[in-house]
Amino acid sequence: MDSISGLLLGFSTALQGGNILFCIIGVSAGMLVGILPGLGPVTAIALLLPVTFRMEAIPAIIMLAGIYYGSMYGGTITSVLINVPGEAASVVTCIDGHAMAKKGRAGTALGVAAIGSFIGGTATVIGLSLLGPPLAKLALGFGPQEFFAIMFLGMTMIMGLIGKSLIRGMLSAALGLTLAMIGMDPMSGALRFTFGEPNLMDGLDFVVIAMGLFGISEVLLGYETINAEKRVERISKLLPERDEWRPTMGAIGRGTFLGFLLGLIPGANAVIASVLSYSIEKKVAKDPSRFGKGAIEGVAGPETANNAFAGSAMIPLFTLGIPTSPTVAILFGAFIMHGLTPGPALFNENPTLVWAIIASMYIGNAVLLVFNLPMARLWAKIAFIPERILYPIIVAIAVVGAYSTSGSLWQVGAMLVAGVVGYFFKKVDIPLAPLLLTFVLGKLMENTFIQSMIYFGGNVLGFFARPISGTILILAFIVLGFSIVSAWKGRRRSLGSDTEV
């Protein structure tokens, strides 16, 4: 099925009453999550996964995807108005967005961010529409050897890009792999790491662990820094001045291209996209001194880049079945939960679902543009919800969601334990992203590795006898080596600076 006929099929499905309703619910929830400081798309999707248990796959995935890219829009509002990023990718927006707000140009900052987000998000969905089918067709020739190599590459890139310390990142990834091993061995059927506990025979529930690591831990951290007072700047004119359109559109174009490329790389994230975009805009500007004082490009570029990243990150998920970020990893879990396996076969086996999700992203981005321009003043009022009211609601949703996974209080306890672990990991600066991604991919990596070993007769060097898997593994080892050397040099520099002091 080509892209045009696929999109027509997708729109005919996505525009059905129930599906378009859940698209609007998803992007609205994403906006809300982005506006409420400290939550973010990972927490929101993790908390709302149990809601989709009894839903059909198409509206469920449409809603969860809407939360993902909708939160990228919402995080801008509090960044501009009260200098508090709603989610991590909006941190950079605080620099010039809030500076514009203090000059009475909060409306323009929000307007430019909305336009850039719409263009970046829509452009990358077009890329997904065009690149998805041919990439999936190419990947259909992959065997378990190639998929193991791709997942191994993704993990090595994650270790190189996430966290300040490679050792802490590797510790987090190792814990994720260990947790993935809990339960029944896929080959022998022997029980591993269950310690006689019947509830662990099927392994740990992904939804429960995700809600604990991101939802409960965020609440525990939030109680340490509850804001007593918030002040919102006045919103007036939403569009830039005439002479500002040219630099704004240039920043939007560069942000779109950068976000699209980074979304294809395993281990990258929207924060990297927004930070790099801001850095590029400052370097290409005729007067870099304007940045930090209300430069409109400092809002347009990063906001476009993080939304372009969100759309582009779907391409590896749909075509190769590889989640490239924590949020996409939770979406990966949602597919599995509904009996679907993301990857090249998805376009052939479930074309209606794939194209409906892609079409819903076109619709969702258009809905978000409407939400962000005429309704910006209304959304801004949500920023006033006190944390002392918000956090108990989050905990209640999490407890109900964990209990609903199996009707067992044991799962609630597992979620709370995961929440405490996530809290302490954040306190000591151990990244959670490697843990989540290796936990999601661990079982698949194990299965593909065992299948490959059976095929190779137990010879590990067989991976390098196949051109594609061999090339990918060599690249993975190069990335891993580069990460270790960079971490070692960084440690040497920090020790040297400490000695000088």
Side-chain angles (χ1 to χ4, degrees), residues 31 69-81 87 89-90 92-94 96-98 100 105-122 237-240 244-245 248-249 251-253 255-256 274 295-308 365 368-373 376:
M31 279 284 297
Y69 56 86
S71 65
M72 297 295 177
Y73 280 75
T76 311
I77 294 177
T78 48
S79 297
V80 170
L81 298 179
E87 46 88 32
S90 297
V92 177
T93 309
C94 291
D96 283 281
H98 191 61
M100 290 180 68
R105 305 195 67 198
T108 304
L110 292 175
V112 164
I115 293 169
S117 297
F118 172 75
I119 293 174
T122 303
K237 184 179 178 182
L238 294 171
L239 298 178
E244 292 178 323
W245 276 106
T248 297
M249 295 309 295
I252 288 173
T256 299
S274 59
I296 197 166
E297 306 99 296
V299 176
E303 283 299 312
T304 303
N306 67 41
N307 281 273
N365 275 288
L368 284 166
L369 184 65
V370 174
F371 279 0
N372 275 265
L373 289 179

Side-chain angles (χ1 to χ4, degrees), residues 258-438:
L258 177 66
F260 181 81
L261 288 182
L262 288 175
L264 299 175
I265 300 174
N269 57 47
V271 179
I272 296 172
S274 59
V275 170
L276 282 180
S277 174
Y278 188 85
S279 176
I280 290 171
E281 293 310 313
K282 193 171 182 179
K283 286 180 180 178
V284 302
K286 292 181 179 179
D287 181 15
S289 64
R290 295 185 301 108
F291 284 76
K293 302 174 184 177
I296 197 166
E297 306 99 296
V299 176
E303 283 299 312
T304 303
N306 67 41
N307 281 273
F309 176 91
S312 180
M314 294 291 191
I315 296 176
L317 177 68
F318 281 0
T319 59
L320 299 174
I322 303 299
T324 57
S325 71
T327 312
V328 180
I330 296 181
L331 285 175
F332 181 97
F335 274 91
I336 299 297
M337 190 178 72
H338 285 278
L340 303 165
T341 303
L346 202 61
F347 277 87
N348 288 334
E349 295 175 1
N350 296 280
T352 303
L353 178 138
V354 173
W355 288 108
I357 295 169
I358 294 173
S360 76
M361 293 173 72
Y362 285 100
I363 298 168
N365 275 288
V367 171
L368 284 166
L369 184 65
V370 174
F371 279 0
N372 275 265
L373 289 179
M375 299 174 63
R377 296 174 180 84
L378 174 64
W379 285 102
K381 293 180 181 178
I382 297 173
F384 283 112
I385 295 178
E387 285 91 343
R388 64 180 181 273
I389 296 175
L390 175 66
Y391 291 147
I393 294 173
I394 293 173
V395 173
I397 293 172
V399 169
V400 171
Y403 182 78
S404 67
T405 58
S406 64
S408 169
L409 287 175
W410 194 93
Q411 298 288 13
V412 177
M415 178 194 68
L416 295 177
V417 171
V420 173
V421 171
Y423 169 76
F424 281 111
F425 269 39
K426 290 177 180 178
K427 293 291 286 185
V428 299
D429 202 23
I430 296 177
L432 289 175
L435 190 158
L436 181 70
L437 288 168
T438 53

